[in-house]
């Protein structure tokens, strides 16, 4: 019996021989993990403190760079599109002759009718205009016709003078033939002028650009 076995106990297992197992202390993994966590936490605090110091010394410049930053957007206004103008069939024209030449009013009215205009009165001009129109013609209408009926009628007679009468209430317009009148503008040219009037070409830059800026605060 080995000297390590107390007398009388007669255990099942005995230690024999001249070599004895060495008893080691259990490894303390928990302490090592805690130590590593503490080190990482210390490094994190140290890094955070370093960043705070950098912000203290450079914060003014950074704030000026980000705080004064402006967000600008450039918006192009739409180019002029189709202008709402009355069609010739919606315009009633009174054709009046202010010259000594006879037959001009009737002939001109017939041509305007072929071009789609509605014809109202045909005859001599009133005393206010009779033999007093030296140019090609005078186009006369109410104030509401200044940007509607009168420009459309003007495409048919180049060089005609447009006038408005505030006291006039009806929607008709007058074409008063003057001394310099010979004939209406060629129909093809008049049609092109009418198309250009209703569909003006956009500007070369694609319309006016509006720049809108707003402050964009940064952190």
């Amino acid at each position: 019996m080995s000297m390590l076995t107390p007398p009388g106990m007669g255990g099942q297992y005995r230690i024999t021989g001249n070599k004895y197992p060495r008893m080691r202390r259990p490894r303390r993994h928990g302490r090592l993990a805690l130590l590593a966590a503490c080190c990482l936490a210390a490094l994190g605090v140290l890094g955070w403190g370093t960043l705070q110091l950098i912000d203290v010394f450079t914060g003014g410049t950074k704030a000026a760079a980000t705080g004064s930053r402006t967000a600008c957007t450039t918006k192009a206004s739409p180019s002029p599109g189709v202008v709402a103008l009355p069609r010739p069939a919606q315009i009633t024209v009174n054709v009046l002759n202010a010259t000594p030449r006879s037959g001009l009013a009737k002939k001109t009215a017939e041509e305007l009718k072929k071009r789609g205009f509605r014809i109202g009165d045909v005859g001599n001009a009133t005393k206010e205009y009779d033999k007093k129109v030296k140019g090609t013609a005078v186009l006369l209408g109410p104030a509401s016709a200044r940007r509607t009926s009168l420009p459309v009628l003007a495409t048919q007679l180049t060089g005609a003078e447009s006038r408005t009468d505030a006291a006039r209430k009806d929607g008709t317009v007058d074409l008063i033939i003057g001394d310099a009148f010979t004939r209406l503008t060629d129909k093809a040219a008049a049609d092109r002028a009418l198309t250009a009037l209703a569909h003006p070409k956009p500007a070369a830059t694609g319309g006016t650009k509006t720049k809108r800026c707003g402050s964009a605060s940064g952190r």
Side-chain angles (χ1 to χ4, degrees):
M1 180 180 298
S2 174
M3 62 179 297
L4 296 177
T5 303
M9 295 188 66
Q12 182 179 358
Y13 300 99
R14 297 179 180 182
I15 300 175
T16 60
N18 56 1
K19 294 183 179 181
Y20 305 99
R22 295 181 180 180
M23 305 301 290
R24 296 180 179 179
R25 295 182 180 180
R27 296 179 180 180
R28 299 178 180 179
H29 298 287
R31 292 184 179 180
L32 293 177
L34 179 61
L35 180 60
C38 292
C39 292
L40 291 176
L43 290 175
V45 172
L46 181 61
W48 180 82
T50 303
L51 291 177
Q52 292 299 315
L53 290 175
I54 294 175
D55 288 341
V56 169
F57 291 102
T58 64
T61 304
K62 183 178 181 181
T66 59
S68 61
R69 183 177 55 195
T70 56
C72 299
T73 57
T74 302
K75 182 179 181 182
S77 61
S79 300
V82 177
V83 180
L85 292 172
R87 299 189 303 273
Q90 297 174 303
I91 302 174
T92 300
V93 183
N94 302 314
V95 184
L96 307 175
N97 186 6
T99 73
R101 293 175 290 169
S102 62
L104 285 180
K106 182 180 179 181
K107 182 178 179 180
T108 303
E110 290 175 351
E111 181 61 26
L112 285 175
K113 186 176 181 179
K114 292 178 182 178
R115 298 184 183 189
F117 289 87
R118 298 175 60 183
I119 304 301
D121 296 335
V122 178
N124 294 326
T126 60
K127 293 181 179 180
E128 182 180 0
Y129 292 97
D130 190 27
K131 298 180 178 62
K132 297 178 182 178
V133 179
K134 302 301 181 183
T136 302
V138 171
L139 307 181
L140 181 65
S144 60
R146 186 168 65 91
R147 295 183 180 275
T148 56
S149 301
L150 288 178
V152 173
L153 182 58
T155 62
Q156 309 300 309
L157 187 57
T158 304
E161 177 187 357
S162 295
R163 299 181 187 179
T164 58
D165 184 0
R168 188 164 180 170
K169 302 302 180 183
D170 66 331
T172 65
V173 293
D174 299 341
L175 191 161
I176 306 173
I177 300 173
D179 294 339
F181 176 84
T182 56
R183 62 187 180 87
L184 294 176
T185 301
D186 181 74
K187 187 178 184 304
D191 290 344
R192 289 194 297 269
L194 185 58
T195 300
L197 180 66
H199 300 79
K201 292 183 179 180
T205 56
T208 304
K209 291 185 178 181
T210 302
K211 191 174 184 180
R212 179 181 295 177
C213 297
S215 298
S217 59
R219 292 183 179 181

